[in-house]
Amino acid sequence: MKTQYYTAASLDGFIATEDDSLDWLFPLGDLNEAGYPTFIDAVGALAMGSATYEWILRHASQVAAETGASWPYAQPAWVFSRRILPRVAGADIRFVQGDVRPVHAAMRDATGPKNLWIVGGGDLAGQFHDAGLLDEIIVQVGSVTLGRGKPLFPRRVTSPPLRLISVRQIGSGLAELRYEVPVGGTGAA
Ligand SMILES: NC(=O)c1ccc[n+]([C@@H]2O[C@H](COP(=O)([O-])OP(=O)(O)OC[C@H]3O[C@@H](n4cnc5c(N)ncnc54)[C@H](OP(=O)(O)O)[C@@H]3O)[C@@H](O)[C@H]2O)c1
């Protein structure tokens, strides 16, 4: 069981524009070509911040066209927010806030041997990393730059560095980089 931050980013390290647009991402490759079905099959639970959750709610029809359902996950999802957010009928969504450690334990209890996916944003993935709970960072780096936006991973991780374990080209639009977080590799913010 691994805890994985799996995301796509621009070449200059942003996962969305500052106004939460992902329009730059979709022309770069399709989900099947990018290996998403294989990845999601191994996921038992996922966690995301409220901006990511609200993006999914705002783009329900686009999400349904891409994945077949407006709430695209069969797995239980933990959504971090200090606000009251709308619910999705029929979806297993648990709203939480604060320390990621008890949430990680609850996710692990719910999944058995499957992986945990930290969907984003970058700071939430950083909170799991700060707590020593992140095992892998898998980034599909798009062939675009955004100049500014929502950061991929707003942490300083230098010593020990992440360990690059694979590189895969996905057409001309994406390069997938898979990194292992070394044991004890919780850098300072
Ligand atoms: N490129 C990709 O593949 C990809 C992947 C994932 C996401 N995205 C996009 O990237 C953007 C990410 O936005 P973001 O950087 O703002 O991150 P986010 O994690 O989606 O949302 C941040 C919000 O999450 C809540 N939060 C985070 N940690 C919390 C904690 N410990 N306790 C309580 N609440 C917590 C806070 O919400 P409240 O203000 O509600 O309290 C915070 O303002 C979104 O537009 C998303 O759609 C892109």
Side-chain angles (χ1 to χ4, degrees), residues 5-10 14-22 24-25 48-56 58-59 79-85 96-100 117-125 127 140 149-152 154:
Y5 175 37
Y6 172 92
T7 191
S10 65
F14 300 106
I15 60 171
T17 62
E18 58 278 60
D19 58 352
D20 291 309
S21 172
L22 297 178
W24 53 275
L25 177 58
M48 67 183 73
S50 64
T52 301
Y53 179 69
E54 290 180 303
W55 186 96
I56 296 170
R58 276 199 311 279
H59 295 83
V79 174
F80 281 83
S81 180
R82 294 190 167 81
R83 294 174 294 132
I84 309 257
L85 297 174
V96 288
Q97 57 178 277
D99 192 343
V100 298
W117 178 19
I118 313 306
V119 183
D123 183 69
L124 183 64
Q127 293 174 50
Q140 297 183 335
K150 298 289 181 84
L152 169 63

Side-chain angles (χ1 to χ4, degrees), residues 59-175:
H59 295 83
S61 50
Q62 187 180 348
V63 172
E66 288 266 341
T67 66
S70 56
W71 177 254
Y73 308 117
Q75 301 88 340
W78 277 257
V79 174
F80 281 83
S81 180
R82 294 190 167 81
R83 294 174 294 132
I84 309 257
L85 297 174
R87 293 184 166 274
V88 176
D92 184 351
I93 297 170
R94 303 149 194 218
F95 293 100
V96 288
Q97 57 178 277
D99 192 343
V100 298
R101 288 170 296 183
V103 176
H104 187 269
M107 292 172 74
R108 206 183 40 214
D109 288 348
T111 58
K114 290 194 137 189
N115 295 329
L116 308 185
W117 178 19
I118 313 306
V119 183
D123 183 69
L124 183 64
Q127 293 174 50
F128 281 90
H129 181 265
D130 296 343
L133 295 171
L134 195 64
D135 300 309
E136 288 186 354
I137 300 176
I138 304 159
V139 192
Q140 297 183 335
V141 181
S143 307
V144 296
T145 61
L146 296 177
R148 56 193 180 277
K150 298 289 181 84
L152 169 63
F153 196 66
R155 293 293 186 277
R156 183 169 300 169
V157 179
T158 54
S159 182
L162 303 171
R163 190 177 305 115
L164 181 63
I165 52 176
S166 74
V167 176
R168 185 167 68 92
Q169 181 169 353
I170 306 165
S172 61
L174 295 165

